[in-house]
Structure formats: C-alpha cells, structure tokens
Amino acid sequence: MFTDWQAFRAAFLNQLQSMHGKSLEEASPEDKYTALAVMVREYISNAWVQTNKHYENKGEKQVYYFSIEFLIGRLLGANLLNIGVRSEWEKWLAELGIDLNQLENEEPDAGLGNGGLGRLAACFLDSMASLQLPCHGCGIRYKYGLFEQKILDGYQVEHPDNWLKNGCMWEIRKFDKAVQVKFGGTVWSEEKNGKLVFHHDNAQTVLAVPYDIPVIGYQNSTVNTLRLWSAETVQEDFDLLAFNQGNYVKAVEYKYSIESISEILYPDDSHYEGRVLRLKQQYFLVSAGLQSIVRRFKKKHGSILDFAEKISIHINDTHPAMAIPELMRILMDEEGLSWNEAWQITKNTIAYTNHTILPEALEKWPVDIMKSLLPRIFMIIEELNKQFCSHLWSHYPGDWQRIASMAIIADNYVHMAHLAVVGSYSINGVAKIHTNILKQDVMKNFYHFYPYKFNNKTNGITHRRWLLKANPDLARLITNSISPSWIYYPQYLSTLLRYSEDAAFLEALDKIKETNKMNFANWVHNKYGITIDGSSIFDVHVKRIHAYKRQLMNALRILELYTRLKENPNLEMVPRTFIFAGKAAPGYFLAKRVIKLITTLAAVINNDSTIQGKMKVLFLENYSVSLAEMIFPAADVSEQISTASKEASGTGNMKFMMNGAVTIGTLDGANIEIHEEVGDDNIVIFGLTAKEVMNYYQNGGYRPWELVQSDTRLRKLLDQLVNGSLPVPREEFRVLYDSLVNSDEFFVLKDYAAYVEAQEKIDMLYRDNSRWNKMCLSNIAHSGKFSSDRTISEYAIGIWKAKPVVIGDILEPY
Ligand code: CR1
C-alpha cells in the first residue's frame, strides 16, 4: 500500500486533516490513534470483502462461535502485527515524532468479558483467522463492558466502563442486516393442510442490529468477522406509542427498556445470575445470530435440509444453549420442516463446550419465567424434554432416579447444561482432567448414555498476542535463534531446547526478563509511586478473585513470611515482590474482603523500613487485557494454586509459561498438562490431588478446626487476622477467619503447609541463576502445545469438520 515513508506520511497527514481538520502539530494522541486505525481499516477492507466472497463462492462449511463474552482488548497493535506492517509503520511514525505504543494506549480496552471464558473466545478468533478457517464470532455489543475497578481506601469500588463513549474504530454498523427478536406475548396454533402452524401474538419486538468487527489472520489475507448485536427499538413501535397514542414519555421509557438488553455485561465470573434481563440477553444473542445465519444460508444454498453439512454452531458454555430450541423454531415455524427433520438438523449442527463444574455456575432458569418471556421456546423445550425422557425410559426402564437426574426440566427449572448435552453432537471439556471429571462425575449419566459425544479440547492462547506482541524482545531472540517458523507452527518452539546448555542464550534470556521487569517497575513507580526492586522475584497472582482460586492462601503465607521477617530481619530469603490483580464480582462479599486483606498487607509491608525492602506487595487496579500484556512478560513466578478439581483449565497459566515464568501450582486444570510437558524439574507442584479433594467432599469435607487446634503455627497465623495486629477494625477480617476455621470449603488450611514448602523451594531454585534460566527456557520451549492454534485445529478437525479456505495474496506483506 505504501511504497515508502513519503507515501505513508502523506496518507497519515491526509487522514488527520480529513477526519479531524488538524495538522500534525495540532493533532492530539487520540486524533492520531483514530487516523491510524482508519488507515488499517482501509488497508484490510478489500481483503474483508474478498474473504466473504470466497466463503460464499466456495461453499465450504462455515462455523459460528456463539459466546455471551468476547474479551478482545485493544486491537490496533494486534491488527498491525497480523497485517505484517507493525515494525515498518512504527519506524515511519517515529520519524514523524510519534510513539506507536503511546497511540496504542489511546484505544479503550474492549472489556466485553469477565475472565477466562471471554478471553478464550477472543484467542480463538485470532487462531481461526490465522489458520484460514471460515469461522466467525457471534456476540453482544454491550454498551458497558466489565466495570472499571478502582481501589479506594483498600477496597474495590466499581465504576461503569463506558468503552464506547468516543466510538469504536473497528466496528461497522450493518443496519440493513438487522433482524427482529420477539419476547413475551402468546402463542397459539392451528392446523393447516395437516400441519400445525404457530402464531405469536402481542409479542414485544426488539430490533437486533449487527456491528461487524474484522478479525485479521496472521499475514494471510483472511479477514473473518466478529458480529456483535445491539438492541434497538423498532421505529414503527416507537412512533406508534409517541405519536398515535400521544404518549411521548412512555415511548421513551419503552425505548430504554428495549435498549437495556445490550446495555451491560453481567459482572459475574463462574457464577450464574438468575435475572430476567440476562435471560433476555441470551435469547437475543441466539435468535439474532441464528436468523442471520439461516438467512445467509438460504441466499446461497438450495435446500435447508443440508444445513448441518454446511454450518456448525458452537456454543461457548450454556449461555447460548437456547440456540437449540431457537434453531428448532426457525426450522419448523419459519421453514416449514417437521419436528423430526428439524431435530436431525439441530442436533447435528450444534456443539457445546462446558467450562466449569462449579455448581453455582450451572445455569437453570425457573419454568414460569421462561414460559412467559419465551413462550414458543419453552413449548419446544418441553416437547424435547418429553421425548428425551421417554427415550431414557426405554433404555433405563424403571430407573426414575437416573431419569430425573438427566431431565431437561426438573423441579420447575430448565437445566441448561442438560439441554446443551441433549441438543448437540459434541460436548467437550477444556483440559484433560476437566473432561474426565465431566465423564466420571458431573455428567456421568450423560456420558453413559452418549459416550460418543464427549471429547476433550485443552484450551490454548494466541501466541501472537501473548508472546509476539506482548514480549517483542523475547520474540526477537527466539526468531533469531530458531527462525520465524514458530510464529506459524508454535510447536516448533521446542527446538529452543537445543539451547538448554548454551550459556550465552540463557544469559540473553535472563537479560530480557530483567529488562521487562525494569520496565514494569518503572511503570509501577510512575503510576503508584511505589519502588520495587527489579532484582527481586516477581511473584504474580493475577486472575478473577474467587475463593477457589485461593488468593487468600497466598495472602496468608505473605503475612506469615512478613511476621517471620520481623522476628528475624536476617532471615535468608531472596527479596520478593508479590503482585496481585483481579476483579471481584460486585456482590461477592468474601472476595472483596480478600482484596482488602491484600491491600492492607501492602500498606503495612511496603511502609515497613525494618524489613529492608525484602518484601513488597502490590495490588494493581483494574486488571484488563492490556494490563495483562504488561504483567506476563515481567513475571518470574506464576501462581496457579486453585483447589484441585475446581479450575477447569486456566489460561493465564499458559501465558506465564510462554513468557518464561515458572509455575507454582496444584495438579488442577491445564497445570497438569503443563507439568506433563515440562516435567518435574521445571514446575513446582504441591497440594491435594483432585481425587483427594473429591473424596473429602463426598465424605462431608474435613474438620479445619481440628487442624487449627493441633497446629500452633496455623493458629498463630489465623489469630493475626482477628487480634487487632493489622491496622483495620478488629472484625474486618472475621468473615475470612470464620470461613477458614468453620468449613474451609476450598482446603486453604489443608494445603497450606505444602504451599509454604513449595514457596521455599521456589526461593531455593531462584538462587541458582543458571538453573532458573534453564527452567524458564524449558517453559518457553514447551509452551507450543498451549497455542490456541493447536486447540483450534483440534476443534476444526475433531468437531466442526471445517477446512481452511485460502484467500490469496490480497494483503501483500511489505
Ligand atoms: C474456567 O473457570 C477456564 C475458562 C476457559 C472458566 C477456567 O478454568 O480456563 O473457563 N469457566 O475455558 C467459566 O468461566 C462459566 O465458566
């Protein structure tokens, strides 16, 4: 597109002028960011159109990934990288006196997700496009993303995240592709020519308007689409109320009630929120998504009976599980198919991923709510349930208990996971252990009935964002050492192992980590005024704050270490900086108290000069994709300490590993597979196994107070939470104390001694610099398996049967 700097410069200045009416000198960083983003958009626009054309003409199978969350973060940097112009444009901008990194920071983070599930969806999009797969995202365009977290007086305070206030540079509103979604009303049927015809009267109609965001593959001319739906009023409905009925105020209220559907992302992670508005969001997403897919399909293909051969719809957890009855509805009520025809197509189109076994996360909707909000959908679910139960009855005659445990509707609730299992052709977990727990425990009866549906797809992360973009120095070292092939074939990272004994390489690795840590320390200093020691161990615990993730265990050990250090200032230890970040659900009281505990420890420890800077504690505000991109490259130690069996996979663990941090972790989720890859010597594993934990649960837990009684160290430590030794009101941490001593549901105390021992091992290992560098290298070299390219290839081959479509050379790399 630009042959040289002159051409680039002219285009950039022209863009500033036409968009903002400003010269380079007058333009603000934001003006420059938007101008650059438009240039990227223009650059890929032809490839985007051509990609869609190719998909239509080739008739290859299309995959749609339905997810209530897409935590995509910022796009400018990643887009420049994938197009292949980032270093060139960076240089050219520098010649204009502009720092590209600064412009990238102007972009608001698209925080349309809570945590792992939403970020996974975003990594998947990147891999789909980079592998040239015809796969697209389908989600909701929330006006407010996940709340912005501020720490005030040590407490989390939530602020709305108005990420769209200055517009989003990447989306294109496609009003002509809008569809209507119906809520409420009454459904009745009549027989016409021997067929039942359904009518839906007095429904509230919502206009779903799509906004398309390009998903750019890595240097391959593929530009897929992430389609996000926004709720609007049907203009005639508004007019009718306002003008014909003369009730303007009511009309405006009505408008807001409709728009509220896509107003806000629910801020709960792995915890389901039984609100009607959430149910509305879910149906809004699947109905709009499916209508537009069916419409497009019909434009191109002759018979709707071929739908399942040409389309796969993947549901990311159960939030979009109403895709099953909704596809049935469309096929029967709008396309005129019989129940059996519709059912054959539906169950061969939909595939489902389960992301959690936490009981509080398993969605179930009260029958009466679903019935009144989605009368036709409920009728279909009811019929599905009837047929499924009678099917079960013929397999397990008389086994009422089993049938009741599997029914889609039971105890006046619709069980969404059951609906998802019955209505899909594939069910996968997100790490080996998680899939095994589904098969052997949580979904045991379903596995017995449908063994062929279950499979594992261990999660992955995009190595392009999380290594190539986030850690450019490390990426350069790798490329210079083993060629750039690893960018296309991340498993090729394993060839780095040939440098295991290469002192110069290990030294270079060490230097890069040191620089990343210094940069991070400078950033911390500028933002928080806190000085951290760049040569200390950066021990990082970043993720959602949740009891099962056990930030509390980490905090307790920090308190104990601090106490020991106070008693013995000469205690031999490598100085450590404990870094935390993460949001707690606004209504999750216990998690919020854990934040307060960490910030309290930080206040005490960071201001205590008697410990000679041997410890520092940071709680960084507002964890987000962008903040994560800064943290991972600077980490030495990765805290992955969930109660075994509870973390389905984890994906942060993979990002740390890929950036050369050493994991301290339990045998949970994907930690197990990381351990398999790197072996005993390059990871520090501790604690109860999933089997042991589940055994305890089956036998009513354990008795933590007995443990506390018999263990003086634990007793003294726990006392510090409530005996006034911390500068907070005495009762501040009583709830944490009680939760541990009374039930300790997540085995914090049970695993505590093993955790402390593991931490001491980390301290010892770190002292041996060359040994530690080898561990870092081993982690990087074995991280290829955890690229989402591997994961997505497995989905494409094993589940979707989707093939790559080569677009050609539209985007010529420079
Ligand atoms: C799991 O807790 C996993 C992600 C992505 C989360 C986490 O371990 O890595 O999904 N589950 O698979 C979740 O959000 C609703 O459930």
Side-chain angles (χ1 to χ4, degrees), residues 138-163:
C138 180
I140 296 178
R141 179 182 180 265
Y142 300 105
K143 188 167 163 202
Y144 293 93
L146 185 60
F147 65 87
E148 192 192 335
Q149 177 197 55
K150 294 227 164 87
I151 300 296
L152 228 105
D153 194 22
Y155 296 98
Q156 166 177 303
V157 182
E158 301 91 22
H159 292 265
D161 166 39
N162 191 2
W163 74 289

mmCIF file of all heavy atoms in Angstrom, residues 138-163:
data_model
loop_
_atom_site.group_PDB
_atom_site.id
_atom_site.type_symbol
_atom_site.label_atom_id
_atom_site.label_comp_id
_atom_site.label_asym_id
_atom_site.label_seq_id
_atom_site.Cartn_x
_atom_site.Cartn_y
_atom_site.Cartn_z
ATOM 1 N N CYS A 138 -19.971 -14.620 17.232
ATOM 2 C CA CYS A 138 -21.304 -14.026 17.328
ATOM 3 C C CYS A 138 -21.532 -13.685 18.799
ATOM 4 O O CYS A 138 -21.486 -14.580 19.654
ATOM 5 C CB CYS A 138 -22.335 -15.027 16.823
ATOM 6 S SG CYS A 138 -24.016 -14.435 16.894
ATOM 7 N N GLY A 139 -21.730 -12.400 19.091
ATOM 8 C CA GLY A 139 -21.853 -11.990 20.496
ATOM 9 C C GLY A 139 -22.737 -10.772 20.666
ATOM 10 O O GLY A 139 -23.521 -10.416 19.781
ATOM 11 N N ILE A 140 -22.602 -10.125 21.822
ATOM 12 C CA ILE A 140 -23.428 -8.949 22.128
ATOM 13 C C ILE A 140 -22.537 -7.717 22.223
ATOM 14 O O ILE A 140 -21.448 -7.761 22.796
ATOM 15 C CB ILE A 140 -24.202 -9.144 23.453
ATOM 16 C CG1 ILE A 140 -25.200 -10.299 23.312
ATOM 17 C CG2 ILE A 140 -24.938 -7.856 23.846
ATOM 18 C CD1 ILE A 140 -25.982 -10.603 24.575
ATOM 19 N N ARG A 141 -23.026 -6.643 21.647
ATOM 20 C CA ARG A 141 -22.287 -5.379 21.721
ATOM 21 C C ARG A 141 -22.757 -4.637 22.973
ATOM 22 O O ARG A 141 -23.649 -3.786 22.916
ATOM 23 C CB ARG A 141 -22.554 -4.539 20.479
ATOM 24 C CG ARG A 141 -21.840 -3.189 20.462
ATOM 25 C CD ARG A 141 -22.247 -2.466 19.195
ATOM 26 N NE ARG A 141 -21.646 -1.165 19.040
ATOM 27 C CZ ARG A 141 -22.215 -0.016 19.400
ATOM 28 N NH1 ARG A 141 -23.391 -0.022 20.004
ATOM 29 N NH2 ARG A 141 -21.603 1.131 19.169
ATOM 30 N N TYR A 142 -22.152 -4.991 24.105
ATOM 31 C CA TYR A 142 -22.543 -4.323 25.353
ATOM 32 C C TYR A 142 -22.109 -2.870 25.307
ATOM 33 O O TYR A 142 -20.965 -2.579 24.934
ATOM 34 C CB TYR A 142 -21.867 -4.993 26.551
ATOM 35 C CG TYR A 142 -22.215 -6.437 26.716
ATOM 36 C CD1 TYR A 142 -21.307 -7.430 26.385
ATOM 37 C CD2 TYR A 142 -23.464 -6.812 27.210
ATOM 38 C CE1 TYR A 142 -21.623 -8.770 26.543
ATOM 39 C CE2 TYR A 142 -23.782 -8.149 27.370
ATOM 40 C CZ TYR A 142 -22.863 -9.124 27.034
ATOM 41 O OH TYR A 142 -23.173 -10.449 27.187
ATOM 42 N N LYS A 143 -23.014 -2.016 25.723
ATOM 43 C CA LYS A 143 -22.632 -0.605 25.768
ATOM 44 C C LYS A 143 -21.624 -0.377 26.895
ATOM 45 O O LYS A 143 -20.685 0.406 26.761
ATOM 46 C CB LYS A 143 -23.890 0.237 25.998
ATOM 47 C CG LYS A 143 -23.670 1.698 25.872
ATOM 48 C CD LYS A 143 -24.995 2.423 25.787
ATOM 49 C CE LYS A 143 -24.789 3.889 26.085
ATOM 50 N NZ LYS A 143 -26.061 4.494 26.535
ATOM 51 N N TYR A 144 -21.810 -1.069 27.992
ATOM 52 C CA TYR A 144 -20.851 -1.007 29.098
ATOM 53 C C TYR A 144 -20.174 -2.369 29.254
ATOM 54 O O TYR A 144 -20.848 -3.377 29.423
ATOM 55 C CB TYR A 144 -21.553 -0.634 30.411
ATOM 56 C CG TYR A 144 -22.083 0.775 30.382
ATOM 57 C CD1 TYR A 144 -23.397 1.026 29.994
ATOM 58 C CD2 TYR A 144 -21.262 1.842 30.696
ATOM 59 C CE1 TYR A 144 -23.881 2.325 29.931
ATOM 60 C CE2 TYR A 144 -21.729 3.140 30.641
ATOM 61 C CZ TYR A 144 -23.041 3.379 30.254
ATOM 62 O OH TYR A 144 -23.509 4.656 30.195
ATOM 63 N N GLY A 145 -18.844 -2.359 29.178
ATOM 64 C CA GLY A 145 -18.096 -3.603 29.376
ATOM 65 C C GLY A 145 -17.989 -3.917 30.860
ATOM 66 O O GLY A 145 -18.690 -3.325 31.692
ATOM 67 N N LEU A 146 -17.091 -4.815 31.197
ATOM 68 C CA LEU A 146 -16.888 -5.152 32.604
ATOM 69 C C LEU A 146 -16.490 -3.877 33.367
ATOM 70 O O LEU A 146 -15.678 -3.100 32.865
ATOM 71 C CB LEU A 146 -15.787 -6.222 32.729
ATOM 72 C CG LEU A 146 -15.549 -6.746 34.137
ATOM 73 C CD1 LEU A 146 -16.809 -7.388 34.705
ATOM 74 C CD2 LEU A 146 -14.416 -7.750 34.143
ATOM 75 N N PHE A 147 -17.057 -3.689 34.538
ATOM 76 C CA PHE A 147 -16.816 -2.459 35.309
ATOM 77 C C PHE A 147 -15.323 -2.140 35.448
ATOM 78 O O PHE A 147 -14.474 -3.024 35.420
ATOM 79 C CB PHE A 147 -17.445 -2.581 36.706
ATOM 80 C CG PHE A 147 -16.813 -3.650 37.564
ATOM 81 C CD1 PHE A 147 -15.698 -3.376 38.343
ATOM 82 C CD2 PHE A 147 -17.337 -4.933 37.591
ATOM 83 C CE1 PHE A 147 -15.104 -4.363 39.128
ATOM 84 C CE2 PHE A 147 -16.750 -5.932 38.371
ATOM 85 C CZ PHE A 147 -15.635 -5.642 39.134
ATOM 86 N N GLU A 148 -15.090 -0.841 35.623
ATOM 87 C CA GLU A 148 -13.722 -0.412 35.892
ATOM 88 C C GLU A 148 -13.495 -0.497 37.398
ATOM 89 O O GLU A 148 -14.301 0.008 38.183
ATOM 90 C CB GLU A 148 -13.541 1.021 35.406
ATOM 91 C CG GLU A 148 -12.104 1.458 35.380
ATOM 92 C CD GLU A 148 -11.978 2.959 35.167
ATOM 93 O OE1 GLU A 148 -12.917 3.553 34.594
ATOM 94 O OE2 GLU A 148 -10.970 3.530 35.600
ATOM 95 N N GLN A 149 -12.410 -1.138 37.799
ATOM 96 C CA GLN A 149 -12.145 -1.313 39.228
ATOM 97 C C GLN A 149 -11.196 -0.227 39.731
ATOM 98 O O GLN A 149 -10.128 -0.018 39.164
ATOM 99 C CB GLN A 149 -11.503 -2.685 39.455
ATOM 100 C CG GLN A 149 -11.107 -2.968 40.901
ATOM 101 C CD GLN A 149 -10.125 -4.129 40.992
ATOM 102 O OE1 GLN A 149 -9.070 -4.101 40.355
ATOM 103 N NE2 GLN A 149 -10.466 -5.150 41.753
ATOM 104 N N LYS A 150 -11.637 0.457 40.809
ATOM 105 C CA LYS A 150 -10.717 1.369 41.479
ATOM 106 C C LYS A 150 -10.524 0.849 42.888
ATOM 107 O O LYS A 150 -11.413 0.201 43.455
ATOM 108 C CB LYS A 150 -11.319 2.777 41.525
ATOM 109 C CG LYS A 150 -11.473 3.423 40.149
ATOM 110 C CD LYS A 150 -10.942 4.862 40.170
ATOM 111 C CE LYS A 150 -10.704 5.400 38.776
ATOM 112 N NZ LYS A 150 -11.892 6.014 38.180
ATOM 113 N N ILE A 151 -9.371 1.124 43.451
ATOM 114 C CA ILE A 151 -9.150 0.749 44.837
ATOM 115 C C ILE A 151 -9.176 2.027 45.662
ATOM 116 O O ILE A 151 -8.387 2.944 45.445
ATOM 117 C CB ILE A 151 -7.799 0.025 45.010
ATOM 118 C CG1 ILE A 151 -7.752 -1.253 44.167
ATOM 119 C CG2 ILE A 151 -7.547 -0.290 46.493
ATOM 120 C CD1 ILE A 151 -8.734 -2.340 44.539
ATOM 121 N N LEU A 152 -10.139 2.072 46.582
ATOM 122 C CA LEU A 152 -10.306 3.250 47.409
ATOM 123 C C LEU A 152 -10.202 2.836 48.864
ATOM 124 O O LEU A 152 -10.997 1.994 49.310
ATOM 125 C CB LEU A 152 -11.692 3.856 47.141
ATOM 126 C CG LEU A 152 -11.649 5.360 46.895
ATOM 127 C CD1 LEU A 152 -11.835 5.599 45.420
ATOM 128 C CD2 LEU A 152 -12.706 6.057 47.709
ATOM 129 N N ASP A 153 -9.224 3.397 49.565
ATOM 130 C CA ASP A 153 -9.023 3.030 50.956
ATOM 131 C C ASP A 153 -8.849 1.516 51.098
ATOM 132 O O ASP A 153 -9.258 0.912 52.086
ATOM 133 C CB ASP A 153 -10.237 3.514 51.776
ATOM 134 C CG ASP A 153 -9.953 3.470 53.268
ATOM 135 O OD1 ASP A 153 -8.763 3.483 53.642
ATOM 136 O OD2 ASP A 153 -10.919 3.376 54.052
ATOM 137 N N GLY A 154 -8.287 0.911 50.069
ATOM 138 C CA GLY A 154 -8.041 -0.538 50.117
ATOM 139 C C GLY A 154 -9.190 -1.407 49.653
ATOM 140 O O GLY A 154 -9.059 -2.623 49.566
ATOM 141 N N TYR A 155 -10.327 -0.780 49.368
ATOM 142 C CA TYR A 155 -11.493 -1.553 48.933
ATOM 143 C C TYR A 155 -11.718 -1.423 47.425
ATOM 144 O O TYR A 155 -11.445 -0.366 46.852
ATOM 145 C CB TYR A 155 -12.768 -1.053 49.623
ATOM 146 C CG TYR A 155 -12.776 -1.243 51.111
ATOM 147 C CD1 TYR A 155 -12.441 -0.187 51.963
ATOM 148 C CD2 TYR A 155 -13.128 -2.466 51.663
ATOM 149 C CE1 TYR A 155 -12.454 -0.349 53.337
ATOM 150 C CE2 TYR A 155 -13.147 -2.630 53.042
ATOM 151 C CZ TYR A 155 -12.811 -1.572 53.873
ATOM 152 O OH TYR A 155 -12.820 -1.742 55.228
ATOM 153 N N GLN A 156 -12.297 -2.461 46.832
ATOM 154 C CA GLN A 156 -12.697 -2.358 45.426
ATOM 155 C C GLN A 156 -13.939 -1.482 45.291
ATOM 156 O O GLN A 156 -14.918 -1.671 45.994
ATOM 157 C CB GLN A 156 -13.023 -3.751 44.862
ATOM 158 C CG GLN A 156 -13.760 -3.685 43.519
ATOM 159 C CD GLN A 156 -14.031 -5.044 42.904
ATOM 160 O OE1 GLN A 156 -13.095 -5.820 42.677
ATOM 161 N NE2 GLN A 156 -15.290 -5.348 42.634
ATOM 162 N N VAL A 157 -13.889 -0.554 44.354
ATOM 163 C CA VAL A 157 -15.056 0.248 44.026
ATOM 164 C C VAL A 157 -15.288 0.095 42.523
ATOM 165 O O VAL A 157 -14.333 0.104 41.749
ATOM 166 C CB VAL A 157 -14.812 1.732 44.364
ATOM 167 C CG1 VAL A 157 -16.045 2.561 44.060
ATOM 168 C CG2 VAL A 157 -14.399 1.895 45.814
ATOM 169 N N GLU A 158 -16.540 -0.066 42.116
ATOM 170 C CA GLU A 158 -16.826 -0.297 40.707
ATOM 171 C C GLU A 158 -17.311 0.969 40.015
ATOM 172 O O GLU A 158 -18.130 1.699 40.554
ATOM 173 C CB GLU A 158 -17.906 -1.378 40.542
ATOM 174 C CG GLU A 158 -17.546 -2.725 41.144
ATOM 175 C CD GLU A 158 -17.990 -2.891 42.591
ATOM 176 O OE1 GLU A 158 -18.918 -2.170 43.006
ATOM 177 O OE2 GLU A 158 -17.396 -3.715 43.316
ATOM 178 N N HIS A 159 -16.784 1.215 38.836
ATOM 179 C CA HIS A 159 -17.241 2.329 38.004
ATOM 180 C C HIS A 159 -17.670 1.782 36.657
ATOM 181 O O HIS A 159 -17.069 0.837 36.157
ATOM 182 C CB HIS A 159 -16.109 3.335 37.788
ATOM 183 C CG HIS A 159 -15.722 4.063 39.029
ATOM 184 N ND1 HIS A 159 -16.223 5.292 39.369
ATOM 185 C CD2 HIS A 159 -14.891 3.698 40.036
ATOM 186 C CE1 HIS A 159 -15.713 5.664 40.535
ATOM 187 N NE2 HIS A 159 -14.901 4.719 40.956
ATOM 188 N N PRO A 160 -18.681 2.421 36.047
ATOM 189 C CA PRO A 160 -19.097 1.910 34.734
ATOM 190 C C PRO A 160 -17.981 2.056 33.705
ATOM 191 O O PRO A 160 -17.220 3.024 33.738
ATOM 192 C CB PRO A 160 -20.299 2.787 34.367
ATOM 193 C CG PRO A 160 -20.397 3.844 35.388
ATOM 194 C CD PRO A 160 -19.498 3.522 36.533
ATOM 195 N N ASP A 161 -17.896 1.100 32.821
ATOM 196 C CA ASP A 161 -16.872 1.121 31.780
ATOM 197 C C ASP A 161 -17.533 1.547 30.471
ATOM 198 O O ASP A 161 -18.030 0.722 29.710
ATOM 199 C CB ASP A 161 -16.251 -0.273 31.630
ATOM 200 C CG ASP A 161 -15.439 -0.388 30.342
ATOM 201 O OD1 ASP A 161 -14.760 0.589 29.991
ATOM 202 O OD2 ASP A 161 -15.499 -1.451 29.690
ATOM 203 N N ASN A 162 -17.519 2.830 30.243
ATOM 204 C CA ASN A 162 -18.194 3.380 29.062
ATOM 205 C C ASN A 162 -17.240 3.350 27.865
ATOM 206 O O ASN A 162 -16.825 4.376 27.337
ATOM 207 C CB ASN A 162 -18.636 4.814 29.388
ATOM 208 C CG ASN A 162 -19.572 5.382 28.355
ATOM 209 O OD1 ASN A 162 -19.924 4.703 27.401
ATOM 210 N ND2 ASN A 162 -19.977 6.624 28.549
ATOM 211 N N TRP A 163 -16.902 2.150 27.434
ATOM 212 C CA TRP A 163 -15.843 1.999 26.438
ATOM 213 C C TRP A 163 -16.219 2.581 25.079
ATOM 214 O O TRP A 163 -15.339 2.856 24.265
ATOM 215 C CB TRP A 163 -15.454 0.528 26.302
ATOM 216 C CG TRP A 163 -16.460 -0.314 25.572
ATOM 217 C CD1 TRP A 163 -17.689 -0.693 26.043
ATOM 218 C CD2 TRP A 163 -16.343 -0.864 24.256
ATOM 219 N NE1 TRP A 163 -18.344 -1.454 25.109
ATOM 220 C CE2 TRP A 163 -17.538 -1.576 23.993
ATOM 221 C CE3 TRP A 163 -15.357 -0.838 23.270
ATOM 222 C CZ2 TRP A 163 -17.777 -2.243 22.798
ATOM 223 C CZ3 TRP A 163 -15.600 -1.510 22.076
ATOM 224 C CH2 TRP A 163 -16.789 -2.194 21.850
#
